[in-house]
Amino acid sequence: MHQESNDKFMKYLRIGILIWVLIANAILHWAKFEYGWLIFIGNIFLFTLPGDDLKEKLATVTFGGLVGIVLTYVLLIGIMALTPVLGEFLGFMIPLAIGMFILIICHPKAPMFLNNVGFAYLVCCTMNVEKFAANFTTYLLTFIIGGLIFNIGCLLMVKPCMKLAARPTAKEA
C-alpha cells in the first residue's frame, strides 16, 4: 500500500474506531457498567506503538494488559504475605521491586507481554487496591471478554477501510 492509500486507510480506520468506541461506551454507560475503562485503556497505546501491523499491536496491547492485571494481583498477594513478616516498608518494596524488574528489565526478552501497557494496567489497578482485590475476577473477565469483543470489532473494520481507501477519489477519476 503506498503512502496516500495508507493515509486514507488510517483516516477511515480512525473514524471507524471512533464510532466503535462511542457505541461501546454508550452501551456501557446505559448498562451502568463501571469497569469499562478496562476495555479501552490499552487501546490508547494502539496508535502509539511503533509499526504498521495492527494485529501485532492488538496482541501486544492485549497480552501486556493481561500481564499487568495478573501481575498486580500477584504483587498484592506478595505484599499481604510479606508485610506481617518483614514490616510495611519491606513487605511492600520487595514485591514491587520484583514486579518492576519483570516489566522493565525483562521487557527485551518478551516485549509483546512485558511492556508499557502492562505497566499502565498495573498503575490503574492499584488506584483502588481494595476494590481491585475484591473484584479481581470481574476486572480480569471484563478485560478479556470486553477487550476481545472490542478488538474483534476493530479488526473487522480493517478490510472495509482498506476497500474505502483503495477507491479512487473524484480528483483521480
Side-chain angles (χ1 to χ4, degrees), residues 4 10 25-26 42 52 64 78 83 96 113 117 122 124 138 145 162-164:
E4 186 178 328
M10 287 307 296
N25 272 284
D52 293 326
T83 298
L96 181 64
F113 296 89
V117 180
L122 185 140
C124 290
T138 303
I145 296 168
M162 286 178 117
K163 286 181 182 178
L164 284 170

Side-chain angles (χ1 to χ4, degrees), residues 16-156:
I17 290 174
L18 169 66
I19 293 167
W20 181 220
V21 166
L22 292 173
I23 290 169
N25 272 284
I27 292 167
L28 294 171
H29 179 76
W30 176 74
K32 297 186 184 334
F33 188 71
E34 63 182 287
Y35 300 97
W37 64 269
L38 287 156
I39 299 167
F40 303 108
I41 195 168
N43 291 92
I44 293 168
F45 291 91
L46 188 64
F47 293 105
T48 61
L49 289 172
D52 293 326
D53 187 344
L54 185 61
K55 289 180 184 177
E56 184 178 321
K57 287 180 174 188
L58 284 170
T60 299
V61 166
T62 302
F63 292 135
L66 185 60
V67 166
I69 292 169
V70 172
L71 185 59
T72 303
Y73 193 73
V74 171
L75 289 177
L76 293 178
I77 291 170
I79 291 167
M80 290 187 307
L82 292 178
T83 298
V85 178
L86 300 176
E88 186 179 329
F89 181 72
L90 287 178
F92 172 74
M93 289 305 293
I94 291 172
L96 181 64
I98 292 169
M100 292 300 100
F101 177 86
I102 291 168
L103 281 175
I104 296 169
I105 303 301
C106 296
H107 165 77
K109 301 287 184 199
M112 187 175 286
F113 296 89
L114 307 173
N115 52 50
N116 293 342
V117 180
F119 185 75
Y121 273 94
L122 185 140
V123 169
C124 290
C125 288
T126 58
M127 287 181 181
N128 188 337
V129 174
E130 292 82 15
K131 185 173 184 177
F132 173 77
N135 298 292
F136 172 70
T137 304
T138 303
Y139 275 64
L140 192 60
L141 291 176
T142 298
F143 175 78
I144 293 169
I145 296 168
L148 185 63
I149 292 168
F150 184 77
N151 289 336
I152 287 171
C154 291
L155 288 175
L156 290 174

